[in-house]
Amino acid sequence: LLGVGPGMRVADIGAGSGYYVARLLPRVGATGRVYAEDVVADYLGKLGARVRREGLRNVTLVRGDPHDPRLPRHSVDLPLLVHMYHEVDQPYGLLYNLRPALRRGARVAVVDLDRPTSRHGTPPALLRCEMAAVGYTPVAFRDLGPESGYLAVFEAPAPGALPAPGSIRACPARGAGARR
């Protein structure tokens, strides 16, 4: 659905055990790269051991922060956030700090369930609002079924078009209990 192909640079944000890392590598091929980003050092340690054990190539492990994925500048064509956006404690900071890592024409893809964040999902309206607050534009939305959720794809703001941090306003849907 996302057109991941040879030579692409994909960031698995919230990579955990590397489920998607291992599946993305054959698609990006020998000339591509997968950035496996997570904020939990233990997850990255175990993923690093898996990468070595399985001889996975073209993987770069990145330890991010809740507000910053810490990806190299201009390094990513497609950040992929699968069933983890609802876990992001600082979505505005994460999205703001993600922009410098994006290459020209990059898209951001989010897969999540349509349910409250307190129930391990993200309502699409909340996702669209948070993305828009930081300048991201929706380009595609696809229902993946009741057990899989949805896929939402966004275009990044143009270089230099990020809003000033002080002008970013939280979305009204972030009511009590919306995030842990």
Side-chain angles (χ1 to χ4, degrees), residues 4 8 20-21 43 67 91 94 104 127 143 149 151 153 163 168 171:
V4 175
M8 285 185 72
Y20 291 102
V21 170
Y43 293 168
H67 70 286
L94 178 80
R104 183 180 308 270
L127 177 65
D143 185 341
L151 166 66
V153 182
I168 298 171
C171 296

Side-chain angles (χ1 to χ4, degrees), residues 35-75:
Y35 292 91
E37 187 274 352
D38 211 297
V39 299
V40 180
D42 188 46
Y43 293 168
L44 287 176
K46 290 176 182 173
L47 180 52
R50 178 182 180 189
V51 165
R52 288 186 297 280
R53 183 177 62 252
E54 295 180 16
L56 301 177
R57 305 247 188 263
N58 301 340
V59 177
T60 300
L61 302 179
V62 179
R63 170 90 187 271
D65 288 322
H67 70 286
D68 188 349
R70 295 188 175 269
L71 294 164
R73 290 183 64 77
H74 309 293
S75 63

Side-chain angles (χ1 to χ4, degrees), residues 35-170:
Y35 292 91
E37 187 274 352
D38 211 297
V39 299
V40 180
D42 188 46
Y43 293 168
L44 287 176
K46 290 176 182 173
L47 180 52
R50 178 182 180 189
V51 165
R52 288 186 297 280
R53 183 177 62 252
E54 295 180 16
L56 301 177
R57 305 247 188 263
N58 301 340
V59 177
T60 300
L61 302 179
V62 179
R63 170 90 187 271
D65 288 322
H67 70 286
D68 188 349
R70 295 188 175 269
L71 294 164
R73 290 183 64 77
H74 309 293
S75 63
V76 178
D77 298 303
L78 178 70
L80 183 58
L81 297 87
V82 180
H83 293 294
M84 61 72 61
Y85 186 84
H86 60 271
E87 299 288 345
V88 176
D89 288 331
Q90 299 178 38
Y92 305 102
L94 178 80
L95 295 171
Y96 187 89
N97 290 310
L98 176 62
R99 178 57 189 101
L102 303 180
R103 298 171 76 178
R104 183 180 308 270
R107 296 167 296 134
V108 177
V110 176
V111 175
D112 218 331
L113 297 171
D114 183 1
R115 61 171 78 150
T117 55
S118 61
R119 291 187 43 231
H120 300 285
T122 305
L126 176 61
L127 177 65
R128 284 190 291 271
C129 182
E130 290 179 348
M131 289 284 198
V134 188
Y136 291 80
T137 306
V139 294
F141 185 88
R142 183 167 182 171
D143 185 341
L144 302 175
E147 299 301 316
S148 299
Y150 61 82
L151 166 66
V153 182
F154 298 84
E155 182 178 282
L162 278 171
S167 71
I168 298 171
R169 299 289 174 247

